Amino acid sequence: MNTNIPVIDLKDIGSRQTLHALDEACRHWGLFQVVGHGIKAEGISAVHDEMRNFFAQPQASKLAISRSQENPWGYYDQERTGNEIDRKQVFDYGPADGATQRPQWPHQAPGFKSAMLEHYAACERLAFVFVEAIGHNLGAKPGLLLRSFQPSHTSFLRLNYFPGKHGESAATESALGINPHTDSGAVTVLSLDQVAGLEVFVQEQWVPVAAQDDALVINLGDVVQVWSNDRYRAPLHRVAGSGNEARYSAPFFLNPAYSANYEPLHSTVDKDHPPRYHTINWGRFRELRTLGDYDDYGEEVRLSQYLRQS
């Protein structure tokens, strides 16, 4: 098997050649790297600098902006994946929504907020480009998939810190930075440092994802898998232990509006390929997934629970 993660140059994403490369990567991997993405290197560098400085702060300073069950934005060191606590610390940013869901910014970090807002906007633009390209490859009319993100989407930017064996970490015996999972949203845009750890499960084996200079990692989520009627799969992935060396990453998760309902696209369904999923409401699905991430509230919701009976 070829275990080289696909790398796609996006300088002409509308070309037949690039769209074909994207289709192949989505079919066989679900996770791939992109260059020529248009996000400035200095912006990515600023995010990683601010991230390192933030997680180096005393624990009391980070806990002062802890997230809660009511407000998902802020710092947390008890994140769960598949009901297992990960060996990591996170900071999440998303837009304000209602009275309790509001961003929290670290004190005494004047460049932090601007770096994160700029990167959020850049990743948002890039992720929507992928949604349109994926829709084209699946036979959807232009703009159809974008409706799922209106009037306002629920995307967020996460900062991950994996301390290594000798660093400050969550109170867990887990050997994994992040336990195996698929992403629940549509598209993830991920910026990595050069420390190994990310692995994707392909053809019954874990394949390491080595960060390429100037590249970002694109990862399909469960929403795209449903839209595609399983033509594209949200890949199972994890973060292995990084030894003694600290590791950092910054994923942007493009998520639909809470009101969005999604199901297999009509263009992916025919007599040989009946719809494999019931209609799913994103708000309810995300609520159940978030409860499992924040604490051990029963079995974590999975896409397989929405499969139609064959």
Side-chain angles (χ1 to χ4, degrees):
M1 170 192 170
N2 180 8
T3 58
N4 294 321
I5 305 293
V7 179
I8 301 175
D9 191 337
L10 301 182
K11 63 183 178 183
D12 189 8
I13 193 171
S15 70
R16 181 179 300 179
Q17 180 180 2
T18 305
L19 287 170
H20 175 72
L22 174 62
D23 182 59
E24 288 292 299
C26 290
R27 280 176 179 264
H28 301 298
W29 288 85
L31 181 150
F32 47 92
Q33 298 194 66
V34 295
V35 295
H37 45 72
I39 298 183
K40 296 179 180 179
E42 54 266 34
I44 295 173
S45 178
V47 168
H48 280 262
D49 288 344
E50 294 291 344
M51 177 165 39
R52 290 186 179 88
N53 290 337
F54 170 72
F55 287 115
Q57 291 183 12
Q59 187 71 351
S61 297
K62 292 179 286 189
L63 290 173
I65 54 170
S66 291
R67 79 185 199 198
S68 65
Q69 189 173 340
E70 294 74 27
N71 183 17
W73 310 140
Y75 172 79
Y76 200 55
D77 66 354
Q78 297 289 310
E79 177 85 358
R80 292 173 181 267
T81 302
N83 296 110
E84 296 291 335
I85 297 180
D86 300 325
R87 199 177 196 87
K88 68 180 181 185
Q89 300 175 26
V90 305
F91 173 89
D92 289 340
Y93 160 75
D97 183 12
T100 60
Q101 186 169 309
R102 65 191 189 282
Q104 300 187 87
W105 301 107
H107 306 296
Q108 300 177 341
F112 186 93
K113 179 178 179 179
S114 60
M116 301 311 153
L117 292 178
E118 180 179 334
H119 190 64
Y120 181 100
C123 290
E124 178 186 45
R125 289 191 295 270
L126 179 60
F128 280 136
V129 168
F130 274 101
V131 168
E132 279 289 83
I134 287 168
H136 177 277
N137 282 345
L138 293 175
K141 293 181 179 179
L144 176 65
L145 299 186
L146 296 180
R147 297 176 188 173
S148 292
F149 303 89
Q150 298 169 354
S152 59
H153 55 85
T154 58
S155 309
F156 67 100
L157 175 66
R158 165 165 291 175
L159 308 180
N160 284 318
Y161 167 49
F162 306 95
K165 292 180 180 178
H166 299 312
E168 179 182 299
S169 65
T172 174
E173 298 300 321
S174 173
L176 295 175
I178 303 179
N179 289 279
H181 67 288
T182 62
D183 289 350
S184 58
V187 174
T188 301
V189 179
L190 173 64
S191 171
L192 299 173
D193 64 13
Q194 296 299 312
V195 180
L198 178 61
E199 298 177 342
V200 60
F201 194 69
V202 180
Q203 295 188 18
E204 305 304 316
Q205 64 179 307
W206 288 104
V207 177
V209 181
Q212 176 173 311
D213 288 344
D214 302 323
L216 296 171
V217 173
I218 302 298
N219 180 41
L220 304 185
D222 291 342
V223 172
V224 168
Q225 180 167 328
V226 172
W227 280 337
S228 75
N229 204 28
D230 282 352
R231 173 173 168 175
Y232 300 157
R233 294 292 184 129
L236 188 69
H237 56 288
R238 69 184 185 185
V239 173
S242 56
N244 296 328
E245 192 170 4
R247 181 179 179 275
Y248 301 85
S249 67
F252 169 84
F253 301 98
L254 182 70
N255 294 334
Y258 285 129
S259 59
N261 296 315
Y262 51 100
E263 60 189 2
L265 296 170
H266 294 308
S267 55
T268 67
V269 174
D270 56 34
K271 62 182 180 65
D272 296 320
H273 303 90
R276 288 182 50 77
Y277 297 95
H278 294 284
T279 300
I280 303 172
N281 174 259
W282 170 253
R284 180 56 177 161
F285 187 91
R286 184 60 192 163
E287 178 186 11
L288 293 173
R289 177 66 70 90
T290 300
L291 285 173
D293 291 347
Y294 180 75
D295 208 339
D296 191 7
Y297 291 101
E299 182 181 359
E300 182 178 86
V301 64
R302 299 181 187 276
L303 189 58
S304 59
Q305 297 169 229
Y306 296 85
L307 280 168
R308 292 176 178 266
Q309 295 297 322
S310 57

